[in-house]
Amino acid sequence: MPASAPAPAQQDYRLPTDVKPTHYDLTVWTDLENSTFEGIVHIDLHVNTETNTVVLNTANLELGEAALKSGSALERAETPSAHAFDTTNERVTYTFPSALAAGTSARLSVPFKGVITGDMLGYYLSTGGKDGELRYALTQFEPTAARRAFPSWDEPLLKATFAVTLVSRADSVNLSNMPAISEEVCTPGSPVAEPWIAQKLAALPDPGAWKITQFETTPPVSTYLVAYANGPFAYLESSYKSPLSGKVRPLRIYATADVIDQAQYALDIKRIVLPLYEEVFDIEYPLPKLDTLVASDFDSGAMENWGLITGRTQAFLLDPNSSDIKYKQNVAATQSHEVAHMWFGNITTMEWWDNLYLNEGFATLMGEKIILGKAFTPSTVYPEWKLDSEFLGANFYRARALDAKLSSHPVEIFDHLSYAKAASVLRMLASYVGEERFLKGVSIYLKKHMYKNSVTKNLWEGIQAATDLDIPKMMDNWVKKMGYPVITVTEKEGGIHVRQDRFLETGPADPKDNETLWTCPLNLLTADAEGKTTLNKDLLLDEREKFIPLDTSKPFKLNADTTGFYAVHYSPERLAKLGQQAAAPNSPFTLSDRIGIVCDALALSRAGYATVSGTLELISALKNEKEHLVWDAIATNLSTIVSTWWENPEVVDRLNVVRRELFVPIVKRLGFEYGKSDSYDDVQLRTTAIEQAAEAGDSWVLEELKSRFAHLVKTGDDSKIPSDLTNITFRMAVQEGGQPEWEVLKRIATKAKTPSQGLSAMRAMGATKDLNLAESTFTFIMTETRDQDTFYYAGGLMRNPVTRRFLATKFKENFAAFEKRYAGNFVILSRWIELSFSGLSSEKDREETAAFFKTKDTSKFDMSLKQTLDTIGSRAAWVKRATGELTHWLEQRGNSKL
């Protein structure tokens, strides 16, 4: 089936195409005091096929009487002879007395009313401000919630132009996709163009308390990208000059006044990256302005509404005095990611949701790697950010972990794979064809489909035009099929034999699950006797197996720079040599190579292709590594092993000895203080080393962190806790403390001075060893936290081995309450299921979890549940398979140093 065609089940959800919207005149009246909105929408229609019915989407709205104008001059006016609501498919069908002729135009008008709820969907309510009492409303329409705000053809293919008018209280701020062209406070008797507004004003005793804001008309846009907001917003302002036209465009970021001073960094990132996107795509940003609105209540991280990006405080706010590099990277990546969508997704939009991965994968690659890489040079800021290597931990290996499950799926089904795997395989393609030619192909694609919709093959055609390569042949199986391969390397006389098979976290795939053959760029790196390296980027594996002539006495490595989305399985002897070569002073292997060697080793040992002890031996060979990102990979993998064997105290204790021996010397070398002259690697490595040493129970590190927290408790002054150490300091304070420390963090979580500090407190409240405090944390989650924040607290309970089983039990006991709370938001419910159970590691746990959900309606979170059950099963299998050899290795090494 072509990528442009929806799956058969989806056809039932598609609107009829006998009429198509071309323009919306949308008026919305917002009453924040009463949490209501109402309005009227006039929709210009083109009639494709003769019909006397009009079908469009609506949900959770009270609709007034519709009216239809038709005829050559729209002179014929009719009201429906009948109408019917389909609540399952969220649509209304109007039947009119006269048929609309094919090829003609019509204009449908529908009044509507709704409630501004806190669901974080449609037009919804958020609260914020210094006291938490400020009320404001904003939209979140992706994927199908525009219909909750106004009747519409709520499908991405049905683009139209929008002219938005907002009516609100006179002392509030109105925002939408486009700039305002007029804003006037209402006065009695003054002319109003929209009769619906005039009628409403005439019935008010105080029309002067309201104002009308009209916005410019948008280019053709899908409904999910339409946005508007009303509230007491403050803003910061900047601008950028287009490198293509010289035009200067205003840039603003809006938030409530109490936090607007933390928005400058995100605004600066937007100013830096916008001209870079124009240069790369050779297409000018087409709207007159680009705003960002920061909201206290927001479902996802951020949303790419055209001209009005929206997102949560944690995504865009940064304390100007903070030195937390990770948080800076997250804010920069989020803002740049959303700006990427202004082209990829907004100018050119997928035809249907099965191609959403094109939007998200591309924005992830461009926003978080390519464009930030161009932005952060020595002439700008943060030249030490190693974004291509950072990409591996942030996206590449997360995607591989998901895609290694038997329950995986093609990237056309939306979840984290839509972002991470899609970005990873696009990165692989860019590496293979060359980044410059890749971006040229993207520019060709965007120009050809400006203001239109597209499918996967259209992007491949653009890149093919720039490269003269058969892009569909290479890429189709990467996006249309689930999974990825493990390439097994067998050394033979005169070279190596390579074979690809599907990689599964549970071990070798059965033949029925091992039918796909991928086109894999092998990126073969070789070194001669003098250490000079040669990279063969043209070598492909597009069959099951092949022989490659090679001198195996010299260093070699497949998947140079870890760009290929696959694992490489070497013999234990070759893996040991790779470790030695990676640790050598003049190693032929890059930073990304070394990260890949470490992460592949753990993935292969988890799946039974190699031993855990082999991974630990590899880590021991890298003990003198200098780069933080390699140490970060080591830390992540050690933490994974500890977390998997969490119910085996002897194994955990011995693994913690290993962690302390690795990381405490680094803490002693780098210390606890962060200086302005510190290198990027030293800052990051210090943080990672302190975290690992503390988690492994080093008494010296724990005492230092506890003393710094004690100063905060005693004085209220947090200056002794560097921002980079807030997470680990808060967690250890609760873990090693009691009720007083927990209460302090509860207060911070409720009213933090910065979003990052608040996040640290939320996660830390679950770190307690006291199950009574764990009970208090869970009660706090259920009664006092924002919906969007609950899983941060749950993550803390899941991470803590003392409360891991407690969390699973509490979720099951309160499942009905979770279902009710998140009835309209399956994303958060899915996240809760993952957090509540994926830390478990026994087959009994998998069976009991599956049995619990067997009698439940799992349709809204079925994918997440299957992935979670797979995770528990693979952890249990790993424990069963590897406990003996892991215990033996730990006993053999005793307490000797690595």
Side-chain angles (χ1 to χ4, degrees):
M1 181 177 292
S4 58
Q10 292 175 318
Q11 296 281 12
D12 295 338
Y13 297 97
R14 302 296 291 269
L15 289 168
T17 57
D18 42 15
V19 298
K20 180 183 183 297
T22 59
H23 175 75
Y24 293 76
D25 280 313
L26 174 63
T27 297
V28 181
W29 186 301
T30 305
D31 186 349
L32 284 173
E33 290 183 9
N34 295 304
S35 298
T36 60
F37 67 92
E38 55 186 308
I40 190 167
V41 61
H42 307 288
I43 310 171
D44 294 338
L45 304 172
H46 176 76
V47 183
N48 295 319
T49 307
E50 181 177 321
T51 182
N52 70 333
T53 62
V54 176
V55 185
L56 66 159
N57 295 116
T58 184
N60 298 15
L61 293 174
E62 177 187 337
L63 302 186
E65 186 174 54
L68 183 72
K69 292 182 178 181
S70 59
S72 58
L74 300 181
E75 72 281 358
R76 187 171 72 234
E78 293 182 336
T79 57
S81 56
H83 68 268
F85 290 97
D86 177 353
T87 54
T88 300
N89 290 315
E90 298 182 333
R91 60 178 62 168
V92 59
T93 299
Y94 292 114
T95 303
F96 292 93
S98 305
L100 298 169
T104 63
S105 298
R107 186 173 174 85
L108 177 70
S109 300
V110 187
F112 56 87
K113 292 182 180 180
V115 177
I116 305 174
T117 69
D119 289 346
M120 295 185 286
L121 288 171
Y123 193 32
Y124 73 90
L125 182 70
S126 182
T127 57
K130 191 172 183 180
D131 57 3
E133 299 296 324
L134 280 180
R135 295 162 60 84
Y136 51 96
L138 70 155
T139 57
Q140 171 56 35
F141 290 162
E142 188 182 30
T144 56
R147 64 192 68 176
R148 293 173 174 240
F150 59 94
S152 56
W153 275 257
D154 196 14
E155 296 183 1
L157 181 61
L158 302 175
K159 288 189 172 186
T161 56
F162 280 79
V164 176
T165 299
L166 300 181
V167 186
S168 66
R169 298 195 183 272
D171 59 352
S172 63
V173 175
N174 287 320
L175 303 172
S176 190
N177 304 83
M178 302 293 285
I181 52 176
S182 70
E183 184 168 86
E184 296 181 358
V185 175
C186 302
T187 56
S190 60
V192 178
E194 170 56 61
W196 182 89
I197 297 177
Q199 183 179 10
K200 180 122 173 89
L201 286 173
L204 293 178
D206 58 343
W210 300 85
K211 69 177 180 182
I212 302 172
T213 310
Q214 291 182 290
F215 296 90
E216 289 184 26
T217 300
T218 69
V221 61
S222 301
T223 48
Y224 81 93
L225 295 168
V226 174
Y228 44 88
N230 171 243
F233 307 126
Y235 67 87
L236 301 175
E237 188 168 27
S238 184
S239 64
Y240 85 100
K241 184 177 181 179
S242 168
L244 301 183
S245 71
K247 184 175 182 179
V248 175
R249 281 184 180 79
L251 306 173
R252 287 184 178 182
I253 188 164
Y254 289 84
T256 53
D258 58 304
V259 295
I260 192 62
D261 64 313
Q262 299 178 41
Q264 185 64 51
Y265 179 71
L267 179 62
D268 289 342
I269 295 297
K270 185 164 57 175
R271 173 182 53 78
I272 290 169
V273 301
L274 261 163
L276 295 174
Y277 279 112
E278 289 195 359
E279 290 175 336
V280 164
F281 296 140
D282 193 34
I283 299 172
E284 189 171 359
Y285 173 68
L287 302 191
K289 57 91 175 175
L290 180 55
D291 295 333
T292 301
L293 172 62
V294 185
S296 298
D297 297 278
F298 200 83
D299 177 20
S300 57
M303 176 63 203
E304 66 269 18
N305 311 300
W306 214 358
L308 180 57
I309 295 167
T310 51
R312 60 169 63 191
T313 54
Q314 295 95 332
F316 289 124
L317 298 185
L318 180 74
D319 182 354
N321 299 315
S322 172
S323 60
D324 188 333
I325 289 178
K326 276 293 181 189
Y327 203 76
K328 283 183 177 179
Q329 287 179 324
N330 289 338
V331 172
T334 301
Q335 183 67 278
S336 182
H337 177 112
E338 302 309 326
V339 174
H341 279 304
M342 299 300 112
W343 286 263
F344 214 98
N346 297 10
I347 286 180
T348 303
T349 310
M350 72 277 165
E351 281 193 6
W352 188 246
W353 298 108
D354 55 358
N355 275 233
L356 180 65
Y357 73 92
L358 273 184
N359 285 8
E360 297 302 346
F362 192 83
T364 299
L365 177 66
M366 291 298 300
E368 299 175 27
K369 176 191 169 304
I370 293 177
I371 291 297
L372 284 189
K374 293 177 181 294
F376 295 157
T377 65
S379 61
T380 55
V381 289
Y382 311 124
E384 294 177 304
W385 287 12
K386 297 161 185 176
L387 293 167
D388 188 67
S389 298
E390 292 270 6
F391 182 91
L392 296 176
N395 293 289
F396 183 90
Y397 281 105
R398 290 184 181 183
R400 285 223 342 222
L402 274 177
D403 211 22
K405 300 181 186 302
L406 195 58
S407 59
S408 186
H409 56 79
V411 294
E412 294 172 345
I413 300 173
F414 180 73
D415 66 0
H416 189 69
L417 281 184
S418 299
Y419 293 75
K421 181 180 179 181
S424 296
V425 298
L426 287 170
R427 171 177 172 264
M428 177 175 66
L429 176 60
S431 172
Y432 179 66
V433 304
E435 188 174 286
E436 185 175 338
R437 292 202 298 171
F438 173 80
L439 294 174
K440 175 63 176 175
V442 172
S443 177
I444 292 170
Y445 157 78
L446 289 172
K447 289 176 179 178
K448 187 173 181 179
H449 299 280
M450 285 186 71
Y451 306 118
K452 298 175 185 176
N453 296 82
S454 67
V455 293
T456 302
K457 70 174 184 178
N458 302 136
L459 176 60
W460 298 159
E461 287 166 355
I463 299 173
Q464 187 160 302
T467 61
D468 292 326
L469 296 171
D470 189 347
I471 302 302
K473 180 180 183 296
M474 176 178 175
M475 296 303 296
D476 277 353
N477 278 356
W478 290 106
V479 298
K480 293 180 179 180
K481 304 290 186 179
M482 68 179 77
Y484 62 92
V486 53
I487 296 179
T488 301
V489 180
T490 305
E491 297 183 33
K492 296 190 174 184
E493 184 176 351
I496 56 174
H497 177 270
V498 293
R499 174 188 169 94
Q500 63 164 300
D501 296 279
R502 183 179 173 189
F503 178 80
L504 291 172
E505 64 182 358
T506 49
D510 291 336
K512 64 181 176 59
D513 299 316
N514 190 28
E515 297 176 350
T516 303
L517 291 177
W518 291 269
T519 299
C520 305
L522 290 179
N523 268 18
L524 176 61
L525 180 75
T526 55
D528 62 19
E530 287 73 41
K532 183 181 178 181
T533 59
T534 302
L535 177 60
N536 184 346
K537 297 190 70 172
D538 297 325
L539 193 61
L540 291 174
L541 178 63
D542 55 4
E543 53 197 315
R544 179 66 69 186
E545 50 196 322
K546 71 190 304 182
F547 181 79
I548 302 170
L550 185 68
D551 182 356
T552 57
S553 68
K554 305 291 193 305
F556 74 91
K557 180 183 178 292
L558 293 182
N559 203 12
D561 275 335
T562 317
T563 54
F565 195 74
Y566 53 82
V568 183
H569 177 214
Y570 300 97
S571 67
E573 296 77 18
R574 176 56 60 180
L575 181 63
K577 286 182 181 178
L578 286 171
Q580 295 165 4
Q581 291 159 355
N586 297 311
S587 172
F589 302 137
T590 66
L591 171 58
S592 293
D593 281 326
R594 302 197 302 279
I595 294 169
I597 290 169
V598 172
C599 293
D600 269 9
L602 185 82
L604 290 162
S605 67
R606 181 171 183 164
Y609 287 89
T611 61
V612 185
S613 55
T615 300
L616 294 171
E617 288 288 355
L618 172 67
I619 288 171
S620 74
L622 295 170
K623 62 186 177 185
N624 295 319
E625 172 66 49
K626 302 301 181 186
E627 293 273 4
H628 157 257
L629 287 171
V630 179
W631 277 110
D632 185 62
I634 291 169
T636 298
N637 289 321
L638 284 172
S639 295
T640 297
I641 299 170
V642 170
S643 173
T644 304
W645 270 266
W646 64 289
E647 292 184 292
N648 189 323
E650 182 181 354
V651 168
V652 169
D653 287 346
R654 290 181 179 274
L655 284 168
N656 281 337
V657 171
V658 175
R659 295 164 91 189
R660 291 195 296 269
E661 291 175 358
L662 283 168
F663 289 101
V664 171
I666 298 174
V667 181
K668 290 183 175 178
R669 175 168 63 86
L670 296 176
F672 290 86
E673 302 302 329
Y674 292 76
K676 290 184 178 180
S677 61
D678 285 350
S679 70
Y680 167 84
D681 266 307
D682 280 353
V683 169
Q684 295 284 68
L685 182 53
R686 177 187 293 114
T687 304
T688 297
I690 291 171
E691 288 175 346
Q692 285 290 307
E695 289 175 0
D698 183 75
S699 57
W700 169 63
V701 173
L702 285 173
E703 287 303 316
E704 179 66 28
L705 297 178
K706 285 161 61 178
S707 71
R708 290 168 183 257
F709 188 82
H711 179 78
L712 167 63
V713 174
K714 183 177 180 180
T715 66
D717 173 19
D718 64 359
S719 62
K720 288 187 178 296
I721 305 175
S723 53
D724 293 82
L725 293 182
T726 302
N727 269 318
I728 190 63
T729 303
F730 283 7
R731 277 201 289 124
M732 293 302 107
V734 173
Q735 176 183 297
E736 302 299 312
Q739 184 85 28
E741 289 80 7
W742 186 90
E743 291 288 351
V744 169
L745 288 175
K746 178 184 174 182
R747 288 196 296 272
I748 293 174
T750 304
K751 195 173 183 180
K753 71 176 187 179
T754 66
S756 59
Q757 186 191 56
L759 279 178
S760 296
M762 293 175 200
R763 290 166 172 148
M765 285 175 63
T768 180
K769 296 176 182 176
D770 182 345
L771 288 180
N772 289 324
L773 284 179
E775 188 74 50
S776 298
T777 300
F778 194 84
T779 300
F780 183 72
I781 292 171
M782 300 302 288
T783 58
E784 298 185 51
T785 59
R786 296 178 187 267
D787 287 352
Q788 69 175 37
D789 293 334
T790 56
F791 58 80
Y792 294 126
Y793 300 90
L797 292 168
M798 185 275 288
R799 184 172 188 163
N800 178 1
V802 177
T803 58
R804 188 170 292 172
R805 197 170 296 285
F806 163 86
L807 174 64
T809 300
K810 296 300 290 186
F811 181 85
K812 288 191 280 191
E813 290 174 355
N814 291 271
F815 179 72
F818 280 106
E819 270 195 312
K820 182 178 180 181
R821 183 171 185 175
Y822 299 123
N825 196 320
F826 68 90
V827 174
I828 297 181
L829 186 58
S830 296
R831 184 78 173 119
W832 260 95
I833 288 166
E834 176 191 341
L835 288 169
S836 298
F837 301 102
S838 61
L840 303 176
S841 302
S842 74
E843 185 57 30
K844 181 183 177 183
D845 285 321
R846 195 199 68 80
E847 292 171 357
E848 290 180 351
T849 304
F852 173 79
F853 284 104
K854 192 171 184 179
T855 58
K856 309 293 187 293
D857 178 7
T858 63
S859 57
K860 292 185 177 179
F861 51 82
D862 187 58
M863 188 187 306
S864 179
L865 176 60
K866 287 178 179 176
Q867 291 171 345
T868 298
L869 292 173
D870 276 358
T871 298
I872 302 171
S874 70
R875 286 163 67 93
W878 194 16
V879 168
K880 183 178 180 180
R881 180 177 59 247
T883 296
E885 61 101 351
L886 174 59
T887 302
H888 177 73
W889 185 85
L890 291 168
E891 289 174 347
Q892 285 292 106
R893 68 178 300 279
N895 292 319
S896 63
K897 299 291 184 183
L898 282 175

